């Protein structure tokens, strides 16, 4: 695909969807490894789920193996979750973007705009959420687990009373999402406030304008193979692989 105004639309959509934070964090990490600027930009966009050469959304490569989060998140779940479920959202997002572009070009019925807008919101949010989700976890030997430090630790203590209160709130939100959805720690910049919230499916209930910092996927596909109906046990184990260094980076960027 050549670079067209449509490609630029898609590029700018990355920032609007919140993937800019992921690209920025990935770029900082890659820059430290001595890549040149152009390669860093291409690779960091790919880490954020965007293939700049193809001009379309793409499934990012994980920073760790499917078995790296064992025993907390099992390899079979990780493999299916990333290579099947997330890949499906990427396909659905690109399909929706193409359909909406065709409508603008007059090749598609405007009567289907509502359908494709819903598809865009569902698959687009599914893609963004999963990109962030993978970035929010790390194997224990690479920093997963533990507690936040520095400014994020201070902000959590200030806004929730303590880290323990935050964890209680976050786990309660994750455990009580109705059906399929997410729990998020997010930052609301106008009030300069951290908020724990839920999302149903991928896109419903989340407050526009907030910056997602830490998200847990509580769709059954995220835990059912290992934990069956024991969602709370899955949430407890997720907390043991949280990559607080990356969550801190998202927080830094949201406040910048
Ligand atoms: Mn999922």
């Amino acid at each position: 695909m050549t670079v067209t105004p449509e490609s630029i639309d898609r590029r700018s959509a990355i920032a609007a969807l919140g993937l800019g934070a992921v690209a920025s964090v990935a770029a900082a990490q890659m820059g430290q490894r001595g890549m040149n600027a152009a390669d860093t930009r291409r690779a960091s966009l790919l880490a954020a789920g965007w293939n700049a050469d193809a001009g379309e959304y793409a499934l990012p490569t994980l920073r760790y193996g499917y078995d790296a989060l064992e025993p907390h998140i099992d390899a079979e779940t990780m493999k299916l979750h990333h290579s099947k479920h997330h890949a499906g959202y990427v396909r659905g997002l690109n399909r929706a973007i193409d359909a909406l572009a065709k409508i603008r070009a007059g090749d598609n019925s405007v009567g289907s705009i509502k359908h494709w807008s819903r598809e865009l919101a569902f698959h687009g949010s599914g893609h963004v959420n999963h990109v962030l989700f993978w970035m929010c976890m790390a194997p224990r030997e690479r920093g997963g687990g533990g507690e936040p430090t520095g400014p994020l630790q201070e902000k959590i203590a200030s806004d929730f009373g303590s880290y323990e209160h935050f964890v209680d709130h976050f786990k309660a939100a994750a455990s009580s999402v109705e059906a399929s959805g997410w729990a998020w720690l997010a930052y609301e910049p106008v009030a300069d406030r951290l908020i724990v919230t839920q999302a149903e499916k991928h896109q419903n209930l989340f407050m526009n304008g907030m910056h997602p910092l830490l998200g847990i996927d509580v769709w059954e596909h995220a835990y059912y193979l290992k934990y069956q109906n024991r969602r709370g046990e899955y949430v407890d184990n997720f907390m043991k692989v949280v990559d607080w260094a990356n969550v801190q980076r998202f927080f830094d960027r949201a406040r910048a």
Side-chain angles (χ1 to χ4, degrees), residues 31 58 120 201 219 237:
L120 178 69
K201 295 199 283 186
W219 284 58
N237 275 274

Side-chain angles (χ1 to χ4, degrees), residues 155 159 185-195 206 209-213 250-251 254-256:
K155 188 64 173 158
D159 287 4
L185 169 67
Y187 176 68
E188 199 287 281
V190 175
D192 182 30
R193 178 183 292 149
L194 293 173
I195 290 178
F206 196 82
M210 293 200 303
H211 297 259
L213 304 178
F250 296 144
F251 181 56
R255 288 222 288 192

Side-chain angles (χ1 to χ4, degrees), residues 81 85 89 130 182 202 217 219 221-222:
H81 200 172
H85 293 276
Y89 301 128
H130 284 90
W182 298 73
H202 298 303
D217 185 339
W219 284 58
H221 68 227

Side-chain angles (χ1 to χ4, degrees), residues 87-123:
Y89 301 128
V90 173
R91 283 195 302 275
L93 173 56
N94 284 323
R95 195 164 54 233
I97 289 279
D98 285 340
L100 289 165
K102 282 178 182 154
I103 290 172
R104 278 202 295 283
D107 300 341
N108 216 332
S109 164
V110 293
S112 62
I113 280 182
K114 182 173 178 180
H115 168 75
W116 288 113
S117 298
R118 293 176 70 93
E119 288 286 293
L120 178 69
F122 177 80
H123 292 287

